[in-house]
Amino acid sequence: MTDITTVDPLITETADRLLSQTCDHESIQRAEAEGGAPEIWDAFAETGFPWISISEEAGGSGGSLLDALEVLRLVGYHAAPIPAAENGVLAGWLLGASKQEIPSGIATVVPSPGSQVTGILSGDEVVVTGVAERVPWARAAEKIVVLLEIDSTNFVASIDQDLCEVKPMTNMAGEPRDTVSFNDVKVAACPAEPGVSPESFRFRGALSRSALMAGAIEKMSQLTVTYTNDRIQFGRPVAKFQAVQQHLVWGAQDAALARMAAETAAREANRGDALFEIAAAKLISNQAAARATKACHQAHGAMGMTQEYPLHHLSRRLWSWRKEYGGDAEWSRWLGEVAVAQGADALYPLITGGSSTLR
Amino acid sequence: MVENILHRRSLDASASQNALIGRVLREYIVPDLYPFAIGLGMVGPALLAHGTVEQQEEWLRPIASGTAVWCQMFSEPEAGSDLANVALSARQDGEEWLIEGQKTWTSRAMWADWAICLARTDPNQPKHKGLTMFAIPMEASGVEVRPLMQMNRDAHFSEVFISNARISDKWRIGEIGEGWRVAMTVLAHERAGGGSRGGGDGSARGSQLPSWIADIQTLNDLSSIQREDISAVYSHDTVSRWTSQRAADEARVSGAPGPAGSGAKLRTVRSYKGRARLSNLSAGAHGMLESGHGYIEVMTAPSMSIRGGTDEIQRNILGERVLGLPGEPRLDREAPWNESRKGLL
Ligand SMILES: Cc1cc2nc3c(=O)[nH]c(=O)nc-3n(C[C@H](O)[C@H](O)[C@H](O)COP(=O)(O)OP(=O)(O)OC[C@H]3O[C@@H](n4cnc5c(N)ncnc54)[C@H](O)[C@@H]3O)c2cc1C
């Protein structure tokens, strides 16, 4: 836990430059058709970006969680077709927290184990069984990491991908979300540090998605402003019609809102647990994504519906990410339950003070 | 409208019998008439209103029987909402017309036999005046169809490039220079929904749960919030169907669909979006997968408020023609098209 509250500007600059050079319309389309973009990942990995926030002793690149989330925001902004969130902030975190080696290849995570994937202890090994759905980029991973709760202790299983059966599936954006079967796979039993639990993992997943979504909404809003200023109908740019301007304002508001919420949650999470801020950020990003995709598509007319124009790289990612690590109902319910449990007098302090009032 | 065509050219059914057939059809889940929708719902009625007897004899029966598929070549790269800005040119050459230009977003173009095509025949006239409507056989030489992939991974619309195609004058629909009037008839029928509706989703029978709700029910136990959401969409759907029915009845009496069709289009779009949202939301994270509920519908939904005239354009029509609000400034209305297209504003 650190008190760093700013991102190293060099990280923003380098990541932005690298991703804008590698993630153009053609490379993103190709990644979707081919189920991955190894060349983009290699360029990204060469800089050490996938391992930011994992300490150097643990085999990572160092840097804070705040830095890692800033990179994720840019990954979302450029619709980069790579497992950036999975590798560092999620799998890397679990591996670091269980003193396991960080692989040089891609590490991904099983998003919601529990009922789907279970483990039993056998000596100093865990036997992992079950079928996990929607595992990001499992087909390209070296390790598939699973957080397992066994007899009230949390273990992190780091499983060689070639010991698993991987069935390729994709989400709306054409990103790999594979089905992975574990048939009694044996791996070393590595207990996780205190603070690592299915609950904290789910919050961390939500945090990663909020950062990605904030970036994607921002880019979508910018694309829409540019397009509607260039597109002429009835002798003038369609951006001159007030009905279109309303769409543009929705897009811009939602971009600002999602980014503010994601950054607040990132800053708090960098300091300690940030349950309230993360829950709020994921809910806000989900709702902002729904409104902004609607507004930006409407302002684009038919052009936005084609694969040839890049809007869909962002909108389809947002529709998918909106569903990962908690939809609107889940986070609304969580926030509602917390607020009710604190009581009426604690509501305002909760809203203004956030998670610090819950500790 | 399918009923009208049947009435005029083959089966001898009365208008009220036709209405009855429509109502019964909607009680059942019957195949989608999508491939035939332009012919049945839009071209057929436009031929009845503007076509010659010979054209009606030639085209209506194949439309009604489904042997001829039609597509609608209106939109162009520079003519979307501003449809009157069409640039595709048709030049008369004796008994023929020479067609040159590009259309875009043409749904069904890859498998259509015929296109109803809006063309500019006189660029020196103001933009609404120099237009003429044609029927173009899709296999005519010089017509090239290039499918475009949509974000929902469907390739149902295309760019159509036409260079030096020769079209017989007997395929001109309506008078020279009257293309805008014919286009308005086509669009009014498109908005009103015409024959595009096949059957319903079974809901009109009352005793049967609409299939989209039954589907959601299989996904999870419905929370009270979901029930409320579903009820809201269901009520909107039902009222919308009644209102569209009333508009259709009015259209039958007056002989032509009016601006009420714009209201019908807005409501139908809202219903589609509501159903897509609810079934996809109910599927949770699974809904983002290829096999997920509402997966295709979520990626199709944004196009619903764009195709057939955007929501904004429908509201402009309602504002100006139903509410009588002042129109938008249209400085290019009277200027010759070949000048106004360079931009007057
Ligand atoms: C799936 C699909 C299928 C289609 N199939 C066909 C087909 O078969 N045949 C065919 O001819 N066309 C077809 N179209 C094209 C469709 O008719 C046009 O997309 C539509 O008319 C809008 O034009 P546009 O896409 O150029 O948007 P634009 O006109 O560029 O509009 C962009 C934005 O500006 C807004 N805007 C424009 N003018 C105004 C105004 N005056 N006031 C307020 N807002 C305004 C629009 O509402 C929209 O939000 C299809 C489109 C789609 C998406």
Side-chain angles (χ1 to χ4, degrees):
Chain A
M1 303 195 189
T2 54
D3 244 351
I4 303 169
T5 53
T6 53
V7 174
D8 182 347
L10 195 63
I11 290 187
T12 305
E13 201 189 304
T14 323
D16 192 37
R17 186 165 357 100
L18 177 93
L19 293 169
S20 56
Q21 282 164 359
T22 50
C23 301
D24 55 17
H25 183 64
E26 286 68 36
S27 67
I28 301 172
Q29 288 284 111
R30 202 164 50 241
E32 182 171 343
E34 295 171 3
E39 70 293 346
I40 299 178
W41 178 259
D42 290 345
F44 189 67
E46 204 166 303
T47 60
F49 283 136
W51 299 280
I52 291 181
S53 80
I54 305 166
S55 72
E56 292 180 27
E57 305 88 80
S61 309
S64 69
L65 177 60
L66 213 54
D67 296 331
L69 291 167
E70 169 70 354
V71 173
L72 289 189
R73 183 182 69 79
L74 292 162
V75 165
Y77 182 91
H78 291 285
I82 50 174
E86 278 57 47
N87 191 79
V89 172
L90 299 175
W93 174 64
L94 291 175
L95 292 173
S98 56
K99 310 226 160 7
Q100 299 190 72
E101 200 187 330
I102 307 287
S104 57
I106 292 170
T108 188
V109 283
V110 170
S112 47
S115 59
Q116 297 176 306
V117 182
T118 52
I120 39 173
L121 279 179
S122 147
D124 53 4
E125 291 190 315
V126 198
V127 185
V128 185
T129 315
V131 179
E133 287 189 309
R134 307 183 303 275
V135 183
W137 281 273
R139 66 188 79 163
E142 178 182 336
K143 294 280 190 188
I144 298 175
V145 178
V146 198
L147 177 64
L148 295 164
E149 200 177 353
I150 309 173
D151 304 334
S152 320
T153 306
N154 290 301
F155 289 90
V156 175
S158 175
I159 302 168
D160 282 342
Q161 185 252 33
D162 48 22
L163 298 178
C164 313
E165 203 179 294
V166 177
K167 180 174 161 235
M169 294 286 288
T170 61
N171 66 10
M172 283 189 203
E175 296 181 306
R177 289 294 185 272
D178 302 329
T179 302
V180 180
S181 308
F182 306 97
N183 303 315
D184 297 333
V185 183
K186 289 197 190 64
V187 289
C190 301
E193 282 173 2
V196 175
S197 67
E199 195 195 26
S200 61
F201 173 67
R202 191 148 185 84
F203 276 87
R204 209 168 161 97
L207 181 62
S208 75
R209 289 300 179 272
S210 300
L212 290 167
M213 290 171 82
I217 298 175
E218 188 170 346
K219 178 64 174 290
M220 205 167 62
S221 159
Q222 292 171 353
L223 260 184
T224 310
V225 170
T226 306
Y227 181 81
T228 53
N229 273 299
D230 291 346
R231 170 71 174 159
I232 310 267
Q233 287 289 272
F234 302 99
R236 54 190 139 160
V238 293
K240 292 227 163 139
F241 292 111
Q242 290 181 347
V244 174
Q245 289 172 1
Q246 295 197 11
H247 295 312
L248 299 180
V249 171
W250 273 116
Q253 284 180 157
D254 282 319
L257 186 64
R259 183 159 178 186
M260 184 270 292
E263 287 184 349
T264 305
R267 215 166 38 238
E268 289 305 309
N270 201 47
R271 276 198 206 120
D273 80 61
L275 303 186
F276 183 79
E277 289 78 8
I278 295 174
K282 185 60 169 49
L283 179 59
I284 287 172
S285 327
N286 284 356
Q287 294 174 339
R291 278 189 305 262
T293 48
K294 192 171 161 210
C296 293
H297 268 292
Q298 189 62 22
H300 271 86
M303 185 58 83
M305 299 303 299
T306 64
Q307 295 243 345
E308 280 169 33
Y309 181 84
L311 182 64
H312 69 98
H313 292 314
L314 302 153
S315 57
R316 290 186 299 139
R317 277 177 170 72
L318 286 165
W319 290 322
S320 295
W321 294 340
R322 182 184 179 197
K323 297 178 151 293
E324 290 185 299
Y325 294 104
D328 306 19
E330 178 178 332
W331 293 118
S332 301
R333 197 176 304 119
W334 189 91
L335 287 164
E337 280 167 5
V338 166
V340 170
Q342 302 299 302
D345 291 344
L347 182 61
Y348 194 65
L350 174 65
I351 292 169
T352 53
S355 296
S356 62
T357 65
L358 297 175
R359 280 172 206 137
Chain B
M1 225 5 99
V2 56
E3 303 91 349
N4 256 338
I5 297 168
L6 294 176
H7 172 52
R8 289 283 290 267
R9 292 290 155 213
S10 51
L11 303 176
D12 198 17
S14 72
S16 61
Q17 283 171 319
N18 292 329
L20 190 63
I21 294 170
R23 214 166 302 144
V24 173
L25 266 182
R26 277 190 293 281
E27 289 185 18
Y28 296 91
I29 301 169
V30 304
D32 191 358
L33 292 180
Y34 179 82
F36 313 106
I38 303 277
L40 289 172
M42 294 148 66
V43 176
L47 289 173
L48 291 174
H50 306 282
T52 61
V53 173
E54 293 72 38
Q55 289 173 336
Q56 295 177 358
E57 295 293 342
E58 180 173 356
W59 287 321
L60 287 182
R61 188 174 273 279
I63 285 175
S65 67
T67 46
V69 170
W70 284 68
C71 65
Q72 174 195 21
M73 297 200 317
F74 283 16
S75 303
E76 294 180 10
E78 305 305 323
S81 298
D82 187 8
L83 180 60
N85 196 37
V86 153
L88 178 128
S89 97
R91 262 191 314 113
Q92 195 159 17
D93 179 18
E95 284 301 287
E96 289 187 325
W97 292 84
L98 258 167
I99 315 274
E100 183 87 41
Q102 186 199 339
K103 292 291 175 180
T104 191
W105 319 130
T106 315
S107 303
R108 311 167 183 80
M110 297 94 87
W111 9 277
D113 305 293
W114 287 91
I116 185 162
C117 178
L118 186 61
R120 182 151 315 268
T121 40
D122 188 351
N124 298 312
Q125 293 278 337
K127 65 185 201 175
H128 296 89
K129 300 210 171 113
L131 298 167
T132 305
M133 193 67 82
F134 294 92
I136 295 185
M138 293 303 283
E139 78 220 350
S141 93
V143 177
E144 191 201 336
V145 176
R146 290 188 209 157
L148 287 167
M149 187 65 87
Q150 287 185 56
M151 72 167 166
N152 63 5
R153 299 179 197 175
D154 186 7
H156 91 245
F157 62 29
S158 302
E159 293 176 299
V160 180
F161 294 87
I162 304 186
S163 68
N164 256 319
R166 287 189 166 269
I167 302 300
S168 160
D169 187 54
K170 68 178 201 220
W171 292 334
R172 170 169 52 76
I173 302 171
E175 296 306 314
I176 297 172
E178 289 288 304
W180 187 249
R181 221 159 65 87
V182 184
M184 286 302 101
T185 302
V186 173
L187 291 182
H189 284 279
E190 176 169 26
R191 284 160 192 160
S196 65
R197 248 177 291 126
D201 54 9
S203 58
R205 224 172 350 164
S207 58
Q208 195 181 335
L209 205 56
S211 51
W212 66 273
I213 301 181
D215 273 356
I216 293 178
Q217 235 183 351
T218 61
L219 296 173
N220 46 26
D221 293 335
L222 301 180
S223 68
S224 51
I225 293 178
Q226 274 178 307
R227 283 163 201 264
E228 205 175 303
D229 276 351
I230 290 172
S231 305
V233 173
Y234 177 76
S235 336
H236 180 267
D237 238 11
T238 308
V239 173
S240 160
R241 195 166 41 239
W242 291 337
T243 314
S244 301
Q245 190 61 51
R246 203 168 53 229
D249 289 345
E250 272 170 25
R252 210 178 349 256
V253 171
S254 71
S262 291
K265 163 98 196 329
L266 286 167
R267 285 188 306 273
T268 311
V269 167
R270 211 177 111 188
S271 280
Y272 182 95
K273 290 189 174 183
R275 290 194 301 266
R277 179 177 60 85
L278 285 183
S279 40
N280 191 251
L281 269 186
S282 309
H286 192 79
M288 75 173 169
L289 295 181
E290 288 146 305
S291 51
H293 262 83
Y295 162 87
I296 292 292
E297 287 78 2
V298 164
M299 293 193 289
T300 307
S303 75
M304 292 297 177
S305 45
I306 294 166
R307 59 174 82 173
T310 66
D311 276 8
E312 288 73 18
I313 295 300
Q314 309 299 348
R315 291 201 177 93
N316 284 349
I317 293 172
L318 290 174
E320 293 179 22
R321 291 185 44 206
V322 177
L323 301 179
L325 299 174
E328 286 184 42
R330 292 193 179 92
L331 301 186
D332 57 358
R333 224 188 152 80
E334 301 309 324
W337 175 78
N338 53 12
E339 299 200 353
S340 72
R341 69 173 316 206
K342 292 177 200 133
L344 289 176
L345 299 172

